[in-house]
Amino acid sequence: VQLQASGGGLVQSGGSLRLSCAASGFTLAHYAIGWFRQAPGKEREGVLCINPLDGNTYYSDAVKGRFTISRDNGKNAVYLQMNSLKPDDTAVYYCATDPLPSACDHDLDHDYDYWGQGTLVTVSS
């Protein structure tokens, strides 16, 4: 099981960025998928997740209305579309997955089984 996150970079405040998370060794559509981030000097926080059984997506209050997740089952990948970016969104972003669908819930704090390597997003003011 491998996850490869990509798409990070430098963007101005108000801009957009799309992160990708490509999976290999398993079918991503059957797994709970979460995106997390860790800003310098701060703890890791859940950003959003999608439940594979019912398709429900849960968002943190910090990103609700600005970030969305989408899937491409043919490419075995998921994407994190980030709009209206703010300097506070600066962090290393990680995708994670877990075979347990209930890993994705409104708490966004499940310790997922598998993690990608992270991709840095920097938002300048």
Side-chain angles (χ1 to χ4, degrees), residues 16-19 66-70 79-83:
S16 298
L17 210 57
R18 190 178 80 154
L19 306 183
R66 301 187 297 121
F67 291 13
T68 57
I69 187 171
S70 62
Y79 306 97
L80 177 63
Q81 179 66 42
M82 305 184 294
N83 299 326

Side-chain angles (χ1 to χ4, degrees), residues 4-125:
Q4 180 76 32
S6 61
L10 175 64
V11 63
Q12 288 189 333
S13 181
S16 298
L17 210 57
R18 190 178 80 154
L19 306 183
S20 301
C21 179
S24 59
F26 67 105
T27 302
L28 196 57
H30 299 162
Y31 283 56
I33 299 163
W35 281 95
F36 295 78
R37 67 186 183 185
Q38 187 165 20
K42 295 187 177 180
E43 292 187 355
R44 188 182 71 199
E45 63 171 338
V47 175
L48 55 79
C49 68
I50 184 166
N51 185 306
L53 287 185
D54 55 22
N56 282 342
T57 305
Y58 300 92
Y59 299 86
S60 70
D61 289 341
V63 307
K64 196 174 298 181
R66 301 187 297 121
F67 291 13
T68 57
I69 187 171
S70 62
R71 292 176 181 267
D72 186 334
N73 291 338
K75 294 184 178 180
N76 207 27
V78 295
Y79 306 97
L80 177 63
Q81 179 66 42
M82 305 184 294
N83 299 326
S84 302
L85 283 162
K86 308 173 183 179
D88 284 349
D89 295 318
T90 295
V92 177
Y93 283 72
Y94 300 89
C95 60
T97 190
D98 197 292
L100 203 61
S102 60
C104 172
D105 60 22
H106 60 87
D107 290 330
L108 295 172
D109 64 356
H110 185 80
D111 190 13
Y112 284 61
D113 279 356
Y114 306 105
W115 292 79
Q117 84 286 5
T119 184
L120 176 62
V121 173
T122 304
V123 184
S124 63
S125 57

